[in-house]
Amino acid sequence: MNSYEQLDAWIDAHFDEEVRFLQELVRVPTDTPPGNNAPHAERTAELLKGFGMEAVKHPVPDAEVKAHGLQSITNLIVRRRYGEGRTIALNAHGDVVAPGEGWTHDPYGGEIADGRIYGRAAAVSKSDFANFTFAVRALESLQAPLKGGVELHFTYDEEVGGELGPGWLLKNKLTRPDLLIAAGFSYEVVTAHNGCLQLEVTVHGKMAHAAVPHTGVDALQGAVTILNALYAQNTLYQQVSSKVAGIRHPYLNVGLIEGGTNTNVVPGKVVFKLDRRMIPEENPQEVEADVRQVIADAAATVPGITVDIRRMLLAKALRPLPGNQPLVAAIQQHGKALFGQDIPAMGTPLYTDVRLYGEHGIPGVIYGAGPRTVLESHAKRADERLELEDLRRATKVIARTLFDLLS
């Protein structure tokens, strides 16, 4: 039996244990907002200790957490050192969006049905807490001579940009790996992703009784004018094409609108939040300036309104760094062997906190346990699920890849 077969056999023998570990992680809610994520880190560290893995806890100061609108964050680093050589970090995030409605399974139950595990974060990305942990355990079961080391980075603010997760760990020099594998899906290895600009736009008018509307200034009418201009711009974005496979064009989404006082009152204030996805070729500063100009120009056509714009997030795109090739090659080789199909290297229209490693010059890729598409996983929708066989095979791919790079 060669080393790859030994790794596979260990993972098969311990797979029920891996699934139970994932179930335990799903059962601790990490809805963000409100973002009370420290309890999940505590539970994760407790479970890791049962495997003989010491997780160093890095609580983010309360003031920083609350400034981001969250309640608590404790990031975890597990360090496994085997000898001189490069360090490979494996990063997954534990924070999630709230379950919402329409579930047919308990979103915090970790229920198993029809070969799948159901629950919020079953696919994105508590599954890769399990994947990465058990890949490292399989690697160490070989007791083979290895070089370098592995770090597990389990972080808790990807849903709000990652600045208090990987960004905080890197900024405070708590880690500096040489290579990175971050949570993803099994049928592609992602080397690039979109950037994201999020803005909060507040349109101010003047409240008035609906019986005498001419005495007020309708903030909603102003907001509609601005929104129409933004949606017109969104149509133009479709004419811009990215050269990165898997990424098509920029786009804009307005995801939240609130305002007004009552049915019989001319609304004096309307707030909306927009999300502008940027392809890797775009300059983030230019994109933000352009969006602000579109808003300002539209607002100028509505007498009496004023507009405040607050940046909530500016996440740069992930661009491939030359040093990621050994990761790409190993994952593609073992992915093809275990999944029976080619694993393309490509971009994704999502944005992730992996970009923060890239900004520090750390080559990385996105690869983990999951289906072919976000839609199949039901991520951020009801009945999020993961095929258990995808988890099993992805764990083998990661274990083999670590063995190749550290042998």
Side-chain angles (χ1 to χ4, degrees):
M1 186 181 291
N2 64 32
S3 296
Y4 296 154
E5 292 169 336
Q6 290 178 56
L7 290 169
D8 294 352
W10 189 94
I11 290 164
D12 286 337
H14 293 80
F15 188 64
D16 288 347
E17 185 183 4
E18 181 175 359
V19 172
R20 288 194 297 272
F21 176 56
L22 176 53
Q23 288 177 300
E24 290 296 318
L25 299 179
V26 168
R27 288 167 182 162
V28 181
T30 48
D31 298 356
T32 303
N36 182 26
N37 290 326
H40 190 276
E42 293 291 334
R43 179 60 175 147
T44 302
E46 179 184 14
L47 292 168
L48 290 169
K49 193 170 185 178
F51 304 146
M53 292 179 157
E54 191 67 33
V56 180
K57 301 171 187 176
H58 295 285
V60 179
D62 283 348
E64 292 184 59
V65 174
K66 289 179 171 52
H68 280 70
L70 306 178
Q71 295 181 357
S72 70
I73 292 176
T74 298
N75 297 309
L76 302 177
I77 299 179
V78 176
R79 293 182 173 86
R80 309 297 284 183
R81 198 73 202 161
Y82 311 122
E84 291 298 318
R86 57 191 170 188
T87 297
I88 303 172
L90 306 171
N91 169 246
H93 69 93
D95 58 310
V96 297
V97 299
E101 299 178 351
W103 287 74
T104 62
H105 297 266
D106 181 353
Y108 305 115
E111 296 174 14
I112 307 295
D114 301 321
R116 300 170 177 151
I117 179 170
Y118 287 82
R120 180 53 87 224
V124 183
S125 72
K126 291 176 183 175
S127 57
D128 284 324
F129 279 46
N131 172 17
F132 296 158
T133 297
F134 275 72
V136 172
R137 292 186 66 198
L139 176 71
E140 294 178 355
S141 76
L142 292 180
Q143 298 184 318
L146 300 171
K147 301 173 183 176
V150 176
E151 291 183 358
L152 300 176
H153 295 179
F154 296 145
T155 54
Y156 289 91
D157 82 328
E158 197 271 349
E159 297 294 347
V160 292
E163 298 292 346
L164 298 184
W168 190 83
L169 294 175
L170 292 162
K171 180 182 70 176
N172 289 286
K173 297 180 169 52
L174 297 168
T175 183
R176 176 66 197 197
D178 300 291
L179 295 169
L180 169 78
I181 302 174
F185 288 169
S186 303
Y187 295 85
E188 61 192 32
V189 52
V190 172
T191 58
H193 67 57
N194 277 349
C196 181
L197 168 69
Q198 293 181 347
L199 298 176
E200 179 186 74
V201 181
T202 304
V203 183
H204 300 280
K206 180 182 177 183
M207 284 195 303
H209 197 293
V212 284
H214 62 279
T215 63
V217 177
D218 190 338
L220 180 55
Q221 184 177 352
V224 168
T225 300
I226 294 169
L227 289 168
N228 282 335
L230 289 169
Y231 287 131
Q233 194 70 20
N234 195 36
T235 301
L236 296 177
Y237 292 151
Q238 296 177 26
Q239 301 172 14
V240 180
S241 297
S242 173
K243 295 180 181 178
V244 178
I247 297 177
R248 296 178 61 195
H249 54 73
Y251 53 93
L252 182 146
N253 180 67
V254 177
L256 180 68
I257 303 176
E258 54 189 9
T261 305
N262 204 350
T263 311
N264 60 353
V265 178
V266 174
K269 185 173 80 168
V270 172
V271 180
F272 64 87
K273 295 180 180 180
L274 68 87
D275 178 307
R276 165 65 159 86
R277 296 299 166 106
M278 300 174 285
I279 61 177
E281 292 90 343
E282 289 186 297
N283 179 297
Q285 286 71 33
E286 291 178 4
V287 168
E288 181 170 2
D290 288 346
V291 173
R292 286 175 177 267
Q293 192 63 54
V294 169
I295 294 169
D297 290 347
T301 68
V302 184
I305 69 164
T306 59
V307 177
D308 295 325
I309 304 173
R310 179 177 71 88
R311 181 206 289 174
M312 299 188 297
L313 172 70
L314 184 61
K316 296 179 181 177
L318 173 68
R319 295 176 174 85
L321 293 176
N324 72 3
Q325 193 51 42
L327 291 171
V328 174
I331 289 170
Q332 287 184 313
Q333 174 193 341
H334 298 301
K336 183 173 184 177
L338 289 157
F339 284 84
Q341 63 185 73
D342 289 333
I343 306 297
M346 59 192 299
T348 178
L350 304 174
Y351 81 93
T352 76
D353 50 11
V354 178
R355 74 189 191 283
L356 297 164
Y357 292 92
E359 289 173 19
H360 282 77
I362 300 164
V365 299
I366 300 173
Y367 184 84
R372 290 168 178 79
T373 67
V374 174
L375 196 63
E376 288 179 34
S377 73
H378 282 227
K380 292 183 168 62
R381 298 190 296 143
D383 283 346
E384 182 175 346
R385 79 283 299 270
L386 173 70
E387 297 281 348
L388 292 178
E389 278 307 301
D390 284 347
L391 175 62
R392 183 196 301 265
R393 290 181 292 190
T395 305
K396 293 176 181 179
V397 171
I398 295 297
R400 289 179 175 206
T401 296
L402 293 175
F403 179 75
D404 285 354
L405 296 177
L406 298 174
S407 291

